[in-house]
């Protein structure tokens, strides 16, 4: 079967929400035409939708290797890499004790790669808050809320760190007034 026929079969399965079969048919298309970057990209998208991030990363990288100047392929690769970085950071934050300093650069890079990643900004806000870096926490919590206004935990975090920031400013102003 030629690559285009395999892609048509993949789309049939996507329409039925059967992403496993869609991936299978995209992989058949890739086997038929391994130098077709479009097939690699389409397979990466289906893998990402199925939560198969490592496989999605593999296909997205191959699409870029074949056609590196394609902005859509590059954007998708960056979103996948961002998601993988967030997952790595989550593992570091879940350790006892949490490894905030190890998670922080991963989350920062994730936010740079995907400026629409709610998870990256929300975890940055949480991490900065735990580290006592309230100003940085406020900035990232605000961005998380901008990306997902209905997320109640992000709204609570923003309110909490904003309150802490106001209290810190009052203390600083009180100390300055005592000096004068």
């Amino acid at each position: 079967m030629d690559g285009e026929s395999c892609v048509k079969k993949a789309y049939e399965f996507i329409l039925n929400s059967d992403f496993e079969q869609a991936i299978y048919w995209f992989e058949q298309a890739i086997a038929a035409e391994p130098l077709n970057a479009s097939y690699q990209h389409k397979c990466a998208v289906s893998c990402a939708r199925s939560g198969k991030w490592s496989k999605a990363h593999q296909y997205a990288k191959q699409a870029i290797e074949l056609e590196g100047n394609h902005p859509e392929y590059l954007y998708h690769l960056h979103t996948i890499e961002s998601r993988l970085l967030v997952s790595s950071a989550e593992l570091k934050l879940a350790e006892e004790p949490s490894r905030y300093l190890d998670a922080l650069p991963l989350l920062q890079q994730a936010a740079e790669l995907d400026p629409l990643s709610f998870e990256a900004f929300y975890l940055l806000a949480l991490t900065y808050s735990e580290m006592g870096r309230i100003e940085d926490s406020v900035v990232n919590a605000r961005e998380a809320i901008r990306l997902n206004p209905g997320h109640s935990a992000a709204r609570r975090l923003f309110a909490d760190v904003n309150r802490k920031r106001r209290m810190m400013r009052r203390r600083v102003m009180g100390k300055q007034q005592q000096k004068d």
Side-chain angles (χ1 to χ4, degrees):
M1 195 177 267
D2 68 298
E4 196 56 40
S5 298
C6 293
V7 168
K8 286 179 183 176
K9 292 285 279 180
Y11 281 130
E12 289 175 24
F13 284 103
I14 288 172
L15 290 174
N16 292 317
S17 299
D18 187 345
F19 293 106
E20 294 303 314
Q21 283 298 308
I23 291 168
Y24 170 80
W25 283 104
F26 282 129
E27 289 174 336
Q28 295 305 305
I30 291 167
E33 296 179 41
L35 300 180
N36 188 318
S38 172
Y39 298 168
Q40 304 277 349
H41 172 71
K42 290 172 183 173
C43 192
V45 170
S46 287
C47 289
R49 285 182 178 157
S50 297
K52 296 180 178 197
W53 296 104
S54 295
K55 201 173 196 180
H57 188 241
Q58 170 193 340
Y59 286 118
K61 280 179 26 182
Q62 289 173 356
I64 290 297
E65 287 171 13
L66 292 169
E67 197 175 323
N69 62 347
H70 198 294
E72 183 181 349
Y73 299 174
L74 188 59
Y75 172 77
H76 194 249
L77 175 63
H78 285 171
T79 60
I80 292 168
E81 288 176 339
S82 174
R83 182 68 194 110
L84 290 170
L85 288 166
V86 166
S87 293
S88 294
E90 287 173 328
L91 292 173
K92 294 184 183 315
L93 294 172
E95 290 182 24
E96 280 298 324
S98 293
R99 294 173 44 197
Y100 300 117
L101 291 176
D102 294 334
L104 193 58
L106 298 174
L107 294 169
Q108 290 168 331
Q109 187 179 0
E112 285 177 25
L113 285 170
D114 183 5
L116 300 178
S117 173
F118 165 81
E119 293 83 6
F121 287 102
Y122 178 65
L123 287 175
L124 273 168
L126 282 172
T127 301
Y128 280 130
S129 177
E130 290 297 322
M131 295 173 69
R133 293 176 56 179
I134 302 303
E135 291 293 332
D136 291 324
S137 182
V138 167
V139 168
N140 285 282
R142 182 180 293 122
E143 185 62 16
I145 290 169
R146 187 184 71 74
L147 292 169
N148 188 351
H151 196 277
S152 59
R155 296 180 78 69
R156 281 191 305 274
L157 175 63
F158 177 73
D160 183 48
V161 293
N162 211 20
R163 185 177 26 60
K164 287 179 184 176
R165 179 175 67 169
R166 285 192 307 270
M167 289 170 47
M168 288 172 46
R169 286 181 177 168
R170 286 184 194 134
R171 279 190 220 129
V172 169
M173 289 180 73
K175 287 180 183 180
Q176 292 230 331
Q177 288 175 349
Q178 288 176 352
K179 284 183 183 179
D180 295 338

